[in-house]
Amino acid sequence: SLTSKLDAVLKKFKGRGLLTEKDLEEGLREVRLALLEADVNFKVVKSFIERVKGRAMGREVMESLSPGQQVVKIVYEELCAVMGEGSKGLQLSPNLPTVIMLVGLQGSGKTTTAGKVARMFKQDGRKALLVAADIRRPAAVKQLEVLGEGLKVPVYTPDTGKDAVAVCTGGVEYGKKYGHDVVIIDTAGRLHIDDELMKELICIKDKVSPNEVLLVVDAMTGQDAVNIATHFNESLDITGVILTKLDGDARGGAVLSIRHVTGKPIRLLGMGEKLDQLEPFYPDRMASRILG
Amino acid sequence: LSRWKKVDPALLDELEEVLISADTGVLVAEKLIDKIRKDKMNDPAAVKEAIKEGMINILTEHEGALNLPDAGPAVVVIVGVNGTGKTTTIGKLSERLRREGKKVVIAAADTFRAAAIEQLVIWGERSGATVIRHTGGADPAAVVFDALAAAKARGADILIVDTAGRLHTKVNLMEELKKIRRVLEREHPGSPHEILLVLDATAGQNSLVQARFFSRDIGITGIVLTKLDGTAKGGIIFSIMEELKIPVKMIGVGESIEDLRDFHAKEFVEALFE
Ligand SMILES: Nc1nc2c(ncn2[C@@H]2O[C@H](COP(=O)(O)OP(=O)(O)OP(=O)(O)O)[C@@H](O)[C@H]2O)c(=O)[nH]1
Ligand SMILES: Nc1nc2c(ncn2[C@@H]2O[C@H](COP(=O)(O)OP(=O)(O)OP(=O)(O)O)[C@@H](O)[C@H]2O)c(=O)[nH]1
Ligand SMILES: [Mg+2]
Ligand SMILES: [Mg+2]
């Protein structure tokens, strides 16, 4: 564990009196390794370690009988602080329908998450509508239709020849017309560096004024999380992040990177392939997971 | 890097960061940089070239193209965690084989995920391959059994098996893969000839864990690294190569049918530094 690694490193210095700054830096190298191994972006790690060091230079650590334990406590507290508020999920806006737009890279889990979000609102007695705006991926519309069928949630699908923007505006109008409480838009996966496709998202946002633009991110995302989050946030001013596939053993350091560069809240966690596997976000649990 | 006039610790630190930001992980980055430190080089340009050479050496240690023998049919099984690009890669591979004059049969053995079969059927149509399928919820091993029989009956050159995405931590799902492998071994001795693990270049250190588990549980003969058209560099393959000796055989560079390329170590290393 990180605590035992840190204790081992810092113990060899304790013998000769107070810990020095140099000793502490040796211990912080272990923290750096742990965070990098957890996929936290190296720039984010640098600035995070600086903050930890600033706090760790105090007497609580330097004169402690178990400095390793003290450092881990500070790391954990700082991680929790960066994680932000815990979140139980998504709320309806006062003006109905609430429009929620899901965006993100290819394969991150948007379509599945759209189904999960629809189920969550339905469980709450709300009338949900799914909008199948991915007209690119083979059988993407069918995939959302199958999910909607299983939930008994209607799915607004494209007329042939319509583009993604038209599907979204049509879907929201349909939702308004038939009194839906929430309209959930599933968009096609795309690269943050694909200007044309990013423009498409900006256009959709412009036309339907969503209450939520949620970035769906795979928990196993590596160093690239910074690029992805920055581009999507700068283009769309996202309102939050949904992290998926946390039922695996990925440490999820991407979350720290995303929080660091966007400051946007983590709203929900995908914990499996079934539509009931959507959970609230607990910052302290995420911090423990990243620390390993 | 061109602003460095001499080799000093700051330059080496910067190079280490380039590697880490490419998802090589700290161990690989330090190993490559330490070798430079030991060799006491003093020309910055030479340093970069030496690192590239060290990286190419790791990758070429265990190289290999796709092994598709004349085995009536040769069998390729595609596996990996959820969303990495397995089904799309099969569409691309099937089209490449068609252009090589090969007859391809595809087994739609993802009987779990919504519209997985429909997605694969479209790729089959696009690449002129026959897709063998059952209804949703069927036993994947049964689909594989039937697809193998159909491939033999039709004189197909290649059978490609699409499997459902699965996290390596789910024991029952890994058992399902083992069963598929056993069916192939029993019904067509010598097969499967390739078990390809599809990894997403955007993933970080977990790709190494995935490779370890899949390798241990069903054996992996090669890797396909997808989504290299993004900004992620896929540097995790150095660790995978060193620890598991599994060659990267192909890379995915986009969502279109022709976006599949053979893996070339030198090109990969050059792209990492771009
Ligand atoms: N284990 C696990 N799998 C998930 C989770 N969320 C989604 N998946 C799976 O991940 C894969 C990709 O999910 P999709 O919903 O198709 O992803 P997507 O973002 O819509 O993909 P594109 O539309 O191609 O960009 C599927 O196999 C899903 O079942 C999760 O929380 N846990
Ligand atoms: N940019 C890019 N996208 C890719 C590449 N390969 C696949 N994709 C996209 O990634 C998404 C997921 O691809 P799939 O083929 O459905 O992945 P999968 O592994 O079969 O997914 P599951 O069966 O749900 O586990 C789709 O949107 C694909 O178009 C690639 O090389 N580059
Ligand atoms: Mg989708
Ligand atoms: Mg698939």
Side-chain angles (χ1 to χ4, degrees):
Chain A
S1 75
L2 182 62
T3 307
S4 50
K5 277 197 198 129
L6 275 179
D7 267 337
V9 170
L10 296 178
K11 247 198 191 73
K12 57 179 174 152
F13 303 122
K14 269 266 72 186
R16 37 192 173 81
L18 291 180
L19 224 51
T20 66
E21 177 173 352
K22 190 164 174 299
D23 301 337
L24 178 62
E25 286 184 348
E26 187 112 346
L28 290 178
R29 226 167 272 140
E30 286 299 323
V31 178
R32 173 177 175 265
L33 283 177
L35 294 177
L36 287 174
E37 198 180 54
D39 288 325
V40 182
N41 182 274
F42 79 101
K43 286 198 190 114
V44 175
V45 171
K46 246 190 194 168
S47 103
F48 182 82
I49 295 289
E50 281 306 304
R51 233 186 12 265
V52 168
K53 183 178 171 200
R55 275 194 58 187
M57 289 296 288
R59 295 186 54 174
E60 72 187 299
V61 175
M62 307 312 260
E63 297 180 10
S64 161
L65 286 174
S66 64
Q69 216 167 63
Q70 288 299 322
V71 172
V72 172
K73 178 166 163 288
I74 291 173
V75 171
Y76 176 75
E77 286 173 1
E78 287 298 318
L79 276 178
C80 288
V82 180
M83 285 302 150
E85 296 286 309
S87 160
K88 293 215 173 36
L90 309 171
Q91 284 72 44
L92 290 183
S93 76
N95 293 358
L96 300 179
T98 300
V99 180
I100 297 171
M101 191 178 156
L102 299 180
V103 302
L105 252 54
Q106 290 90 346
S108 61
K110 299 173 292 299
T111 305
T112 309
T113 301
K116 291 178 180 181
V117 170
R119 181 186 180 281
M120 184 179 74
F121 279 109
K122 181 150 195 263
Q123 292 276 319
D124 234 9
R126 304 296 176 183
K127 193 171 173 198
L129 173 71
L130 285 162
V131 176
D134 180 355
I135 52 176
R136 202 166 297 118
R137 168 173 151 158
V141 171
K142 187 79 175 80
Q143 184 184 3
L144 197 63
E145 282 183 311
V146 170
L147 295 182
E149 236 168 273
L151 295 172
K152 304 237 178 348
V153 168
V155 181
Y156 181 89
T157 58
D159 295 329
T160 43
K162 287 277 163 65
D163 62 37
V165 180
V167 176
C168 292
T169 51
V172 173
E173 279 169 26
Y174 182 98
K176 276 203 185 97
K177 181 171 178 190
Y178 292 101
H180 287 274
D181 298 313
V182 59
V183 176
I184 301 149
I185 301 174
D186 177 27
T187 66
R190 67 203 64 212
L191 296 177
H192 48 295
I193 52 170
D194 187 326
D195 290 336
E196 198 181 313
L197 289 186
M198 290 306 286
K199 278 210 191 84
E200 180 183 83
L201 287 182
I202 295 170
C203 187
I204 292 172
K205 180 184 179 189
D206 199 55
K207 292 254 159 58
V208 308
S209 305
N211 304 85
E212 300 272 8
V213 178
L214 301 172
L215 179 62
V216 178
V217 179
D218 192 324
M220 59 176 180
T221 306
Q223 297 288 306
D224 206 37
V226 163
N227 296 328
I228 300 165
T230 302
H231 276 82
F232 272 95
N233 193 36
E234 286 183 353
S235 302
L236 302 169
D237 190 17
I238 64 180
T239 58
V241 175
I242 297 182
L243 209 60
T244 63
K245 307 178 202 173
L246 275 160
D247 44 319
D249 58 2
R251 297 265 287 281
V255 145
L256 189 67
S257 307
I258 293 170
R259 281 286 304 158
H260 183 91
V261 301
T262 68
K264 296 294 164 75
I266 311 300
R267 310 295 290 281
L268 289 162
L269 305 178
M271 283 289 189
E273 294 194 74
K274 302 214 185 72
L275 299 185
D276 59 353
Q277 291 172 318
L278 191 63
E279 292 183 12
F281 169 67
Y282 297 105
D284 51 350
R285 286 191 206 173
M286 194 71 226
S288 302
R289 180 182 182 126
I290 290 175
L291 273 185
Chain B
L1 279 158
S2 53
R3 68 175 192 281
W4 294 94
K5 293 287 173 285
K6 61 181 172 64
V7 181
D8 77 31
L11 164 64
L12 296 183
D13 282 349
E14 189 165 312
L15 283 169
E16 196 168 310
E17 287 181 348
V18 169
L19 297 178
I20 290 174
S21 71
D23 286 310
T24 62
V26 181
L27 293 179
V28 164
E30 287 189 344
K31 176 165 163 310
L32 288 166
I33 301 294
D34 281 349
K35 184 163 185 322
I36 301 298
R37 285 200 183 101
K38 279 208 191 70
D39 293 354
K40 296 202 173 63
M41 309 183 70
N42 43 33
D43 167 19
V47 165
K48 192 171 169 189
E49 285 313 306
I51 292 177
K52 284 186 187 173
E53 195 172 326
M55 293 163 83
I56 292 171
N57 287 341
I58 294 175
L59 297 178
T60 52
E61 188 76 17
H62 305 278
E63 274 184 311
L66 215 51
N67 169 38
L68 301 174
D70 202 352
V75 182
V76 180
V77 184
I78 305 293
V79 302
V81 306
N82 308 73
T84 55
K86 299 176 291 300
T87 304
T88 307
T89 297
I90 290 173
K92 296 172 182 176
L93 178 58
S94 173
E95 169 66 5
R96 167 194 284 212
L97 293 169
R98 182 192 67 80
R99 291 184 193 177
E100 292 174 5
K102 298 284 191 305
K103 186 168 191 181
V104 179
V105 168
I106 303 174
D110 178 355
T111 57
F112 170 74
R113 206 209 67 209
I117 297 173
E118 286 83 341
Q119 182 189 8
L120 190 62
V121 165
I122 292 171
W123 280 112
E125 286 165 358
R126 289 179 180 180
S127 61
T130 305
V131 177
I132 302 298
R133 50 179 294 188
H134 287 188
T135 51
D139 175 9
V143 181
V144 171
F145 182 92
D146 285 353
L148 182 60
K152 284 180 181 168
R154 290 156 194 258
D157 300 299
I158 319 278
L159 169 66
I160 308 177
V161 180
D162 187 16
T163 62
R166 69 204 64 219
L167 296 182
H168 49 286
T169 47
K170 312 222 161 153
V171 179
N172 58 327
L173 297 183
M174 297 306 282
E175 287 302 315
E176 183 182 89
L177 275 188
K178 289 183 192 173
K179 184 174 172 196
I180 287 176
R181 175 172 192 152
R182 281 198 302 274
V183 167
L184 288 168
E185 287 171 340
R186 189 188 65 220
E187 299 301 320
H188 195 44
S191 85
H193 304 88
E194 288 276 8
I195 302 182
L196 301 178
L197 176 63
V198 179
L199 296 175
D200 187 334
T202 318
Q205 298 303 303
N206 197 250
S207 286
L208 174 58
V209 184
Q210 294 168 26
R212 283 182 189 141
F213 275 66
F214 276 93
S215 178
R216 180 199 68 187
D217 286 352
I218 55 155
I220 300 294
T221 58
I223 286 168
V224 181
L225 189 61
T226 62
K227 308 184 197 174
L228 277 169
D229 46 316
T231 47
K233 303 290 184 176
I236 194 64
I237 63 167
F238 296 102
S239 306
I240 295 176
M241 182 63 87
E242 293 223 293
E243 188 178 314
L244 302 170
K245 327 269 188 250
I246 303 170
V248 178
K249 300 207 169 182
M250 293 180 290
I251 61 173
V253 293
E255 302 189 74
S256 305
I257 205 165
E258 66 273 351
D259 291 331
L260 184 69
R261 296 187 197 155
D262 285 332
F263 177 76
H264 293 298
K266 191 162 186 310
E267 282 177 19
F268 181 84
V269 171
E270 292 293 341
L272 196 143
F273 281 96
E274 266 160 29

